[in-house]
Amino acid sequence: MQINVFGSTISALVTAGCLAETGNQVTLIGNIPESIAEPNLSKLLKKQLKAGFLKVSEQFNQEANFHFISLPSGACQDAVVIAEQLSEKAQKDSYLVLRSNFGFPLSHQVIDTAKLPFIVNPDFAADGNAINAFTRPDRIIIGSEDEYATEDFKRLMSPFNRNRDVSIVMSPDSAILTKYATNVLIATRISLMNELALVAEEMGADIEQVRQGLGSDQRIGFSYLYPGVGFGGEHLEMDLERVQALIDKTGSQENLLRSVANINHTQKELLFRKLWKHFDCQLTNKQIALWGISYKPNSSSIKGAPSLVMIEALLHQGCQVNIYDPKLGKSFDQWCQTYLSEQQRSQLHIFDDPYNALDNSDALCVLTEWKQFWSPDFSEMQQRMKHSVIADGRNLYDPEHLKSLGFTYFGVGRK
């Protein structure tokens, strides 16, 4: 089939690359960045460009059978402009596929403008696992009331739906709400675990042992059952607000989701509070190393990242902050220029090696669970650090082992 994919997001690039790999002629109306944090995505796109199944263009293919819109959630008006162009030039028997998380009712604005048969197909992939999620999905949500659109879309997606039928057909609004509800349940689960971690510390229990006990229950499972320094990213916090607004319209006076958001905001300050207490409220001129800035591993996104809250808090206390992240990108530079003063930027030091960031440091904070942080050389760390203090925001390390090595260790809910 001939396919247009609009956007330069990870979702758009994965959609274009995976559909091209199955023999479709795909036109990407967007840009392919020089550096992409998503594993294997650059390799996939280069391969399909070379094979000729994928091309990048400023103009969409007017003969295409499907038009995928995968723009950022805040780019609804850009999507409306695209929809206007499709309504004028696209084949009337082609289909609009909306993968962007514009929400309700903005998604309808795009759909109504395009005047084409449409499908709402939410993207549930997490950063760092996007290709696998597209090619081996646990579900393919097809939000459509058009029988022909549904059947043709199933045929398009059939290479990724072979072991068992994972397609679920529903109304477009149900598909939008399914996307909302998925993010809201994940956020609620994470915040509950973070609250339980506080209880564990108060009781003298170990949240890791509690997690094992909870996850072994088949009704609960282990997914998103890890305490930490809060969740980041664009969609969880945004969809919490969206669903809470919809709940408010029903007349309900409950505030569950507001509590989830408040817990998450407080959790982002957790390691700062632990250091503040450890150093007797005297952090001025302390040198603090941070490992991990992105909101999750295998991503360069810093949207809503707990690290940003940590950085601001440390800088306000007059700390020197040493940073290492394997995929630190331009977005972090832009954040610094926007939110930090010139004086604060002078207190910030970026390193291209994690151990160099530890030199003469008073403490290390681990904020993102990049794989390279899981088994570091603790001996070298001790030699480089002024004080052997580790605040582990992702519970990567064994507290008893680090204690035996002479470290002062702070985890999340650890005994």
Side-chain angles (χ1 to χ4, degrees), residues 239-250:
D239 283 350
L240 279 171
E241 295 179 1
R242 286 172 168 175
V243 176
Q244 184 62 62
L246 292 172
I247 291 173
D248 291 342
K249 289 182 179 180
T250 69

Side-chain angles (χ1 to χ4, degrees), residues 89-106:
K89 300 179 181 180
Q91 296 186 92
K92 297 307 177 184
D93 59 350
S94 61
Y95 306 115
L96 172 69
V97 182
L98 192 60
R99 285 176 65 80
S100 297
N101 187 17
F102 295 140
F104 178 88
L106 294 178

Side-chain angles (χ1 to χ4, degrees), residues 15-43:
T15 299
C18 291
L19 291 176
E21 191 174 39
T22 53
N24 299 291
Q25 294 294 327
V26 180
T27 300
L28 176 68
I29 304 91
N31 298 308
I32 299 178
E34 293 182 5
S35 177
I36 304 175
E38 187 67 32
N40 300 315
L41 183 52
S42 289
K43 181 179 178 181

Side-chain angles (χ1 to χ4, degrees), residues 12-74:
L13 299 178
V14 168
T15 299
C18 291
L19 291 176
E21 191 174 39
T22 53
N24 299 291
Q25 294 294 327
V26 180
T27 300
L28 176 68
I29 304 91
N31 298 308
I32 299 178
E34 293 182 5
S35 177
I36 304 175
E38 187 67 32
N40 300 315
L41 183 52
S42 289
K43 181 179 178 181
L44 172 65
L45 295 172
K46 289 177 182 177
K47 180 180 178 181
Q48 297 310 313
L49 286 166
K50 184 177 181 180
F53 290 108
L54 173 65
K55 70 174 183 178
V56 180
S57 174
E58 295 181 357
Q59 303 296 323
F60 66 85
N61 176 7
Q62 297 183 22
E63 305 300 319
N65 309 102
F66 288 91
H67 315 281
F68 284 79
I69 293 182
S70 295
L71 300 181
S73 57

